[in-house]
Amino acid sequence: MPMPPSDPRRLTPRSPASPAPARELEQRLIGVNACLAAFARRPQDLRKLWLVAERQRELRALLAWCVKHRIGYRIVAPDELQKLSASTHHEGVCAAFLRPQAPDLQTLLRALPAGPALLLWLDGVGNPHNLGAILRSAAHFGVAAVLVPESGGALLSSAALRVAEGGAEAVPLLTVHAASAALAEVRAAGFAVAASTPHRARSIYAAPLPARALLALGTEGAGLDAAFIAAADVRLRIPGSGAVESLNVAAAAAVLAAEWFRCHAPLAAG
């Protein structure tokens, strides 16, 4: 079986001088699509597999890999799988994979080709279902990466990975430790910083979105930090009927990414 192309999130290996605890090296994935996507991109990272009998045919490639490489797997009852996965939404499979290492921001920006590119910035998006939905949309519309501030609350839990339906394998999630420095690096790489806000902003349909853009979104309640909005190069709103003030953050991310894709990837969209 040919190995998949290298994952950009594995460009920065862990330092051997300070190994992470075992519990941090592995992460349990649940859901058929999430497990299949991880296996398709990085089968060498599979460490354990649990599944119900009804999923054996659908997951036969994973089972064959486990047999060939002597990786532990078990056929279990649904109630046992619920305990192993700590979820009622396991879809009949739970797999332990090595946790992929995201690149640092400088490495990511250097690896991006010239021309149109889209980054998302999420501030305060801690709900795993919102994060998973955003990663799924990001993968669909070709987002290069999702950036979250260190205190932003976004964690790649098993629930978020399941909702992402494999999107987390295609779009790296980067934690940035100093927002001002990160924004300076992004701007230096030719990106315009756009803040999504319903207040005193222009419609996303009034003019094409920047070809190289970092689109920033906050949660529905607090929204983006006022200082961030003030420092943005452009402020954008998604027009609507006015029946509600704004969209859920996951829906807003999908609309913004779709409009950017429409503007800058017409051949792919067709």
Side-chain angles (χ1 to χ4, degrees), residues 2 18-19 33 37 57 77 90 107 119 198 221 233 238 257:
S18 55
N33 287 338
R57 181 177 180 83
H90 50 68
T107 300
L119 303 172
D233 301 309
I238 301 172

Side-chain angles (χ1 to χ4, degrees), residues 148-240:
V148 296
E150 192 172 23
S151 59
L155 296 174
L156 274 180
S157 64
S158 59
L161 292 168
R162 178 185 63 82
V163 175
E165 295 281 352
E169 295 296 325
V171 182
L173 182 76
L174 279 65
T175 300
V176 295
H177 303 290
S180 58
L183 293 180
E185 288 183 41
V186 167
R187 282 192 169 104
F191 285 80
V193 176
S196 174
T197 173
H199 307 295
R200 290 183 292 180
R202 74 165 174 84
S203 165
I204 63 170
Y205 306 119
L209 299 181
R212 287 175 77 83
L214 181 146
L215 297 178
L217 302 100
T219 55
E220 303 93 88
L224 279 171
D225 181 78
F228 190 108
I229 295 173
D233 301 309
V234 62
R235 289 174 287 281
L236 301 172
R237 64 179 177 86
I238 301 172

Side-chain angles (χ1 to χ4, degrees), residues 3-84:
M3 298 298 286
S6 60
D7 189 327
R9 284 165 294 180
R10 299 180 63 83
L11 292 175
T12 308
R14 296 182 185 275
S15 169
S18 55
R23 65 178 180 276
E24 294 183 3
L25 292 175
E26 291 185 3
Q27 183 169 40
R28 292 190 180 184
L29 276 64
I30 58 174
V32 173
N33 287 338
C35 291
L36 286 175
F39 179 71
R41 284 182 173 260
R42 46 192 183 95
Q44 70 281 358
D45 286 351
L46 180 61
R47 289 297 177 268
K48 302 179 189 71
L49 177 66
W50 303 269
L51 67 159
V52 298
E54 292 79 5
R55 290 294 190 190
Q56 290 182 80
R57 181 177 180 83
E58 193 171 2
L59 301 172
R60 59 187 179 275
L62 277 76
L63 288 168
W65 182 271
C66 288
V67 171
K68 180 178 180 180
H69 297 277
R70 299 184 179 180
I71 295 170
Y73 72 90
R74 286 175 55 203
I75 309 298
V76 298
D79 58 344
E80 185 177 357
L81 190 57
Q82 181 175 330
K83 293 177 183 178
L84 287 165

Side-chain angles (χ1 to χ4, degrees), residues 9 16-17 27 30 33 43 72 84 87-88 91 102 125 131 134-135 149 153 178 190 199 218 220 245 255 258 264-265:
R9 284 165 294 180
Q27 183 169 40
I30 58 174
N33 287 338
L84 287 165
S87 173
T88 59
E91 298 178 12
V125 182
L131 178 59
I134 290 169
L135 287 169
H199 307 295
E220 303 93 88
E245 182 183 28
V255 172
H264 300 294

